[in-house]
Amino acid sequence: MASSTLSSPFLRLDFPSTRKPSKRSSSFVPLIRSSVSEKPLPSVSVTSPKPTKLPIRKIPGDCGFPVIGPFKDRQDYFYNQGRDEYFKSRIQKYQSTVFRTNMPPGPFIATNPNVVVLLDGKSFPVLFDVSKVEKKDVFTGTFMPSTELTGGYRVLSYLDPSEPKHDQLKKLMFFLLKSRRGHVIPEFHDSFTELFVALENNLAAKGKASFGDANDQAAFNFLARSLYGSNPADTRLGLDGPKIVQKWVLFQLGPILRLGFPKLIEESTIRTFRLPFFLIKKDYQRLYDFFYESSGFVLDEAEKLGVSRDEACHNLLFATCFNSFGGMKIFFPNVMKWIGRAGVKLHARLAREIRTAVRSAGGEVTMAAMEQMPLMKSVVYEAFRIEPPVPLQFGRAKSDMVIESHEHAFEVKEGELLFGYQPFATKDPKIFERAEEFVGDRFVGEEGEKLLKHVLWSNGPETESPSVGNKQCAGKDFVMLVSRLLIVELFLRYDSFEIQVGSSPLGCSVTITSLKRASF
């Protein structure tokens, strides 16, 4: 399918709001309204580079014997080395950022775990070029979860743009975002004010507070309220949404997650067979019922686009719970981790910039005001660069092609599965100085903005927009907006904060140990 000119409408539209702002307990009380879109970034093509005169090198690496090779690689990936060291050791072994290996889960869930790995910022973008790679059924990599978990449908994330249903469903997602654009900023403020109050209460009672637990509930409430106008607590779903979603995601991603259980238990269960759907069927039905009852206006539009209400509802559930909620569940703790570790100097700069911009906008949190916060925007970009929330990317070669790293060119055959580990591409030292460091102001100024084409978290570069003709996240601008809102709300309310960081199967675990209320 030819690339469509339809781009994401989200940040290119006004965000009027009729809701009155909630009262803040801090000395600074901004109103909440969004108005003007952010200025567009220059468009940069994701088409892979034309072949140059780099020397052709045979792709190094060996996938080993069937079953034995994939099993051994799986042990290294999860237990013996860990994911990052698994890739680093092979880069050193082969002296190449492009090589062959196996990706989990391997036997007996994935029939063919062989991949060509791309681990640098030059080769990685070919995974976005849908003229060269097919994205059909590769969302989770070398295996695909049962469609029983999505109502019997292959949902949007598993469709290639060449498939007619991809066009219809992505247009439906754009419709949802456009229809509810005026509710995002006020609902975010209300939902995350509830989060901050919960954190403060837990800090007062226990001396510490889990950010993750409060964030999960706030994120789910925000998504339901802003996108569907429904408050989960007032429905039969109640406050169970986040826990059900986490369980449902485990049934899909369990084979490629390290859950922290003893090796024997993980290997004999989630690595060997798929968890049966009947164990979660009733819970999934509760989610489905909530979305079906809340999304009538979207389901009406789906029928106009030629999609049944049932299929549309399963797609809305997936996009909201797996993509959006999953992204906020992983990325928001990561943002808190990196900013928390950066220390009080960065906190002071952010607080000063954010409060000055909001005051200049008449005390209102608006899109225009956020455009006057270059450091805040850079901090969000940097968090996406250093730890993208979706680290694994796959695509199947549509034809024989040549892929280039910085040093060599490699011949790839039609049908081969290409895999990229995104954190290595976005921390490529040949592209970014101090690539392994969190540099809050990295993307400030003209030179900093030139680097945005190498920020790749959204299944495409930051300088591109989602369309029906590509696989870039339909909610890219929505996710960027809410990530910025998190920082804005945080530093309108607090001067600084302190944290403890632990591990988690998804992202990291953040515990708040101190919150210093706004003093200016």
Side-chain angles (χ1 to χ4, degrees):
M1 176 186 297
S3 178
S4 169
T5 58
L6 174 64
S7 63
S8 171
F10 201 76
L11 292 186
R12 291 171 173 74
L13 295 162
D14 290 343
F15 284 70
S17 175
T18 57
R19 173 175 295 215
K20 294 181 180 180
S22 301
K23 292 183 179 180
R24 291 179 183 270
S25 56
S26 65
S27 58
F28 181 49
V29 186
L31 300 173
I32 308 297
R33 181 177 63 82
S34 67
S35 55
V36 182
S37 164
E38 69 174 308
K39 63 182 180 180
L41 294 164
S43 179
V44 177
S45 173
V46 300
T47 303
S48 53
K50 295 180 180 179
T52 64
K53 295 183 179 179
L54 287 173
I56 296 287
R57 180 183 176 187
K58 180 181 178 182
I59 300 175
D62 182 6
C63 295
F65 292 108
V67 181
I68 297 174
F71 180 80
K72 180 181 182 302
D73 286 342
R74 189 169 78 194
Q75 305 310 299
D76 288 344
Y77 184 91
F78 285 117
Y79 311 108
N80 300 334
Q81 295 176 304
R83 184 164 62 184
D84 281 22
E85 186 58 33
Y86 178 84
F87 295 122
K88 287 178 182 178
S89 65
R90 283 153 180 78
I91 290 175
Q92 296 170 352
K93 178 180 179 180
Y94 303 125
Q95 291 298 294
S96 175
T97 52
V98 178
F99 54 85
R100 297 184 186 280
T101 191
N102 297 289
M103 278 295 292
F108 297 96
I109 293 176
T111 57
N112 184 2
N114 305 161
V115 296
V116 175
V117 182
L118 313 176
L119 295 180
D120 62 83
K122 188 175 181 181
S123 64
F124 188 93
V126 74
L127 291 163
F128 308 140
D129 187 349
V130 293
S131 71
K132 295 183 178 295
V133 298
E134 183 183 68
K135 308 294 280 189
K136 181 178 180 180
D137 297 340
V138 295
F139 179 64
T140 48
T142 60
F143 82 109
M144 180 179 171
S146 170
T147 56
E148 284 187 306
L149 294 162
T150 50
Y153 299 101
R154 291 172 56 241
V155 293
L156 179 60
S157 292
Y158 291 94
L159 300 179
D160 185 78
S162 63
E163 299 179 76
K165 196 58 71 70
H166 179 276
D167 182 290
Q168 297 167 308
L169 291 171
K170 202 160 188 181
K171 284 180 178 177
L172 185 65
M173 300 308 161
F174 289 151
F175 169 82
L176 171 63
L177 293 171
K178 179 180 178 181
S179 298
R180 299 292 297 178
R181 64 192 183 276
H183 300 271
V184 173
I185 291 180
E187 292 292 0
F188 190 94
H189 168 71
D190 289 351
S191 296
F192 278 78
T193 294
E194 294 170 7
L195 173 144
F196 294 134
V197 170
L199 293 178
E200 291 169 7
N201 290 339
N202 284 334
L203 269 174
K206 304 176 183 178
K208 61 182 179 179
S210 168
F211 178 80
D213 294 341
N215 177 64
D216 288 352
Q217 193 64 61
F220 191 84
N221 289 346
F222 159 70
L223 292 168
R225 295 167 182 173
S226 64
L227 297 180
Y228 303 100
S230 181
N231 184 27
D234 298 332
T235 72
R236 287 175 294 176
L237 185 62
L239 301 180
D240 295 337
K243 292 181 180 179
I244 294 175
V245 172
Q246 291 177 66
K247 190 190 303 184
W248 173 65
V249 170
L250 172 63
F251 273 61
Q252 297 176 74
L253 298 185
I256 56 175
L257 295 179
R258 179 73 170 95
L259 301 181
F261 294 123
K263 174 181 173 180
L264 180 60
I265 293 177
E266 289 194 349
E267 284 293 303
S268 61
T269 54
I270 58 174
R271 306 266 184 264
T272 302
F273 59 85
R274 300 171 187 263
L275 297 174
F277 174 64
F278 75 83
L279 294 176
I280 198 175
K281 183 177 181 179
K282 290 183 179 179
D283 282 336
Y284 182 76
Q285 187 65 45
R286 290 183 66 195
L287 280 179
Y288 177 89
D289 291 343
F290 171 78
F291 281 94
Y292 196 89
E293 293 165 3
S294 303
S295 59
F297 72 103
V298 194
L299 302 182
D300 292 342
E301 179 67 16
E303 289 186 316
K304 295 176 185 178
L305 291 169
V307 181
S308 72
R309 300 178 79 85
D310 184 59
E311 182 172 7
C313 187
H314 287 290
N315 273 273
L316 292 172
L317 190 162
F318 191 92
T320 306
C321 295
F322 193 107
N323 299 136
S324 300
F325 173 80
M328 295 173 74
K329 176 180 177 60
I330 295 171
F331 186 65
F332 279 17
N334 287 348
V335 172
M336 296 293 290
K337 175 183 72 175
W338 290 110
I339 297 178
R341 286 176 170 175
V344 294
K345 289 185 178 180
L346 178 63
H347 298 178
R349 291 175 63 194
L350 285 167
R352 189 176 303 110
E353 176 187 84
I354 290 168
R355 294 172 198 175
T356 299
V358 172
R359 287 186 177 119
S360 297
E364 300 176 353
V365 174
T366 67
M367 297 288 290
M370 286 189 283
E371 280 305 304
Q372 305 308 311
M373 305 175 189
L375 177 61
M376 179 277 292
K377 293 196 297 180
S378 176
V379 163
V380 175
Y381 287 137
E382 178 70 343
F384 275 116
R385 179 199 72 86
I386 199 166
E387 196 167 6
V390 181
L392 313 182
Q393 186 65 238
F394 295 84
R396 195 172 299 280
K398 287 186 173 181
S399 60
D400 294 354
M401 70 173 85
V402 174
I403 294 177
E404 297 178 354
S405 67
H406 294 292
E407 293 85 12
H408 296 95
F410 303 88
E411 293 179 339
V412 172
K413 298 298 182 183
E414 178 182 354
E416 290 197 273
L417 187 61
L418 310 178
F419 159 75
Y421 183 50
Q422 197 153 261
F424 278 33
T426 54
K427 290 187 287 190
D428 187 334
K430 294 184 181 296
I431 294 175
F432 293 102
E433 295 182 3
R434 298 160 62 193
E436 297 288 336
E437 298 180 35
F438 181 85
V439 181
D441 57 3
R442 184 186 297 276
F443 299 101
V444 172
E446 184 177 350
E447 291 303 310
E449 288 190 359
K450 289 180 181 179
L451 292 171
L452 288 175
K453 64 184 178 182
H454 302 294
V455 179
L456 310 172
W457 67 272
S458 63
N459 206 356
E462 187 56 39
T463 46
E464 280 289 303
S465 295
S467 76
V468 294
N470 64 26
K471 285 300 291 181
Q472 193 159 25
C473 174
K476 166 182 175 277
D477 295 332
F478 173 82
V479 173
M480 183 58 67
L481 172 60
V482 299
S483 300
R484 292 174 177 179
L485 285 171
L486 175 67
I487 308 306
V488 170
E489 293 287 348
L490 180 67
F491 285 103
L492 286 176
R493 192 176 182 96
Y494 306 108
D495 284 345
S496 186
F497 64 97
E498 296 178 353
I499 59 170
Q500 294 174 346
V501 179
S503 60
S504 170
L506 294 172
C508 66
S509 171
V510 171
T511 300
I512 306 294
T513 57
S514 172
L515 289 169
K516 182 180 179 182
R517 291 300 297 266
S519 60
F520 64 91

